Structures are given as C-alpha cells and as structure tokens.
Amino acid sequence: MTYRRARSTRGDLFDPQCPTRRLLDRIGTKWTSMAVKVLAEAFPGEVRFGDLQRRMPGISHKMLSATLQSLARDGLVARRVEPTVPPRVHYGLTELGLSLEVPLAMIREWAEQHMAEIDRANELSRKGRAGDC
C-alpha cells in the first residue's frame, strides 16, 4: 500500500513517504511531552508563554517557541494573542491535543519506571566498549 492510496485512512509508518514519520518525530520529543503535560494540567484553560517556560526547566525561548509553533501547526495547540504592549500570548490544548496526553503520559510513566534499568544497561555498555581496542 502506498501513502497516496492511504491518505484517506490511517498512515503507514513503514512507508518512507508517509507523514506519520514526521509527526512521530515531533510528538516524540521531551519538549513536546512536557508542553502537552503542562497544557493538559491547565485544560480547558490556557497558559502564557512565560509560565510555560518556567514550568519546563531547561528549555530555551527559541526551542519553546519552535515546539509551540509545531504543535499549533498540527492543530494540537491553540494560540491566542492579546493586543497589549508587549503582546500577551496564551496557549491551550485543543481537543486533539488533549487526546495526545494519555499516550504521552504512559510513555513518561514507562520512562520514569525504567530509567534506572536503562542507566545500568548504558553503564554496562560503556564498560564493555572501554575494553575494546
């Protein structure tokens, strides 16, 4: 099945032309997961840009802006600008964006539960490579 035929139905992750791959790249980032979580906690309300940045330690202004632009372009986040000086920009999840919170929460939970095992495996892997010449 090619992506052209599948446009009206589900995507095909294994088709190199399918936009599902690009979408998974976007929703699979730590910043997207954090932004969706913060916005889901406020749903159906909104969160201002600065509040989002404060609640997402380590994210730069540029990365948060790019993340929110991608989420808005995909219809997952709604953006509202108040015409003040400076403008106040508010973000809120759409219904589609809210539907993403459950699967992302499951992935975050899995990561938190298994991080110690992953760290141990990485440490063993590093030790094994250290002896290789």
Side-chain angles (χ1 to χ4, degrees):
M1 172 168 74
T2 67
Y3 176 68
R4 282 187 219 285
R5 283 195 351 223
R7 258 188 209 252
S8 62
T9 60
R10 296 177 67 111
D12 179 1
L13 174 65
F14 295 100
D15 180 344
Q17 301 304 311
C18 183
T20 301
R21 290 180 178 204
R22 289 190 309 274
L23 181 58
L24 286 172
D25 282 344
R26 284 196 302 277
I27 64 173
T29 71
K30 65 183 175 189
W31 302 125
T32 293
S33 184
M34 285 186 207
V36 169
K37 179 177 175 45
V38 171
L39 293 171
E41 290 171 349
F43 188 84
E46 300 172 317
V47 180
R48 289 189 53 198
F49 185 93
D51 293 332
L52 270 168
Q53 191 170 23
R54 279 187 286 284
R55 294 176 64 186
M56 297 171 61
I59 193 167
S60 68
H61 185 278
K62 182 178 178 179
M63 181 56 71
L64 179 56
S65 181
T67 299
L68 291 168
Q69 285 174 5
S70 291
L71 292 171
R73 185 175 49 249
D74 292 338
L76 302 170
V77 166
R79 181 178 186 264
R80 182 175 63 85
V81 181
E82 287 183 32
T84 59
V85 179
R88 291 185 179 155
V89 183
H90 305 261
Y91 295 89
L93 283 182
T94 63
E95 290 290 333
L96 182 60
L98 186 61
S99 74
L100 182 58
E101 171 53 13
V102 171
L104 287 180
M106 292 170 59
I107 291 170
R108 287 191 302 267
E109 179 68 24
W110 183 90
E112 290 170 357
Q113 286 180 358
H114 296 284
M115 196 63 242
E117 294 169 72
I118 301 296
D119 282 346
R120 281 192 297 277
N122 277 289
E123 184 61 30
L124 289 172
S125 179
R126 279 192 294 277
K127 287 180 181 179
R129 284 194 311 259
D132 296 343
C133 292

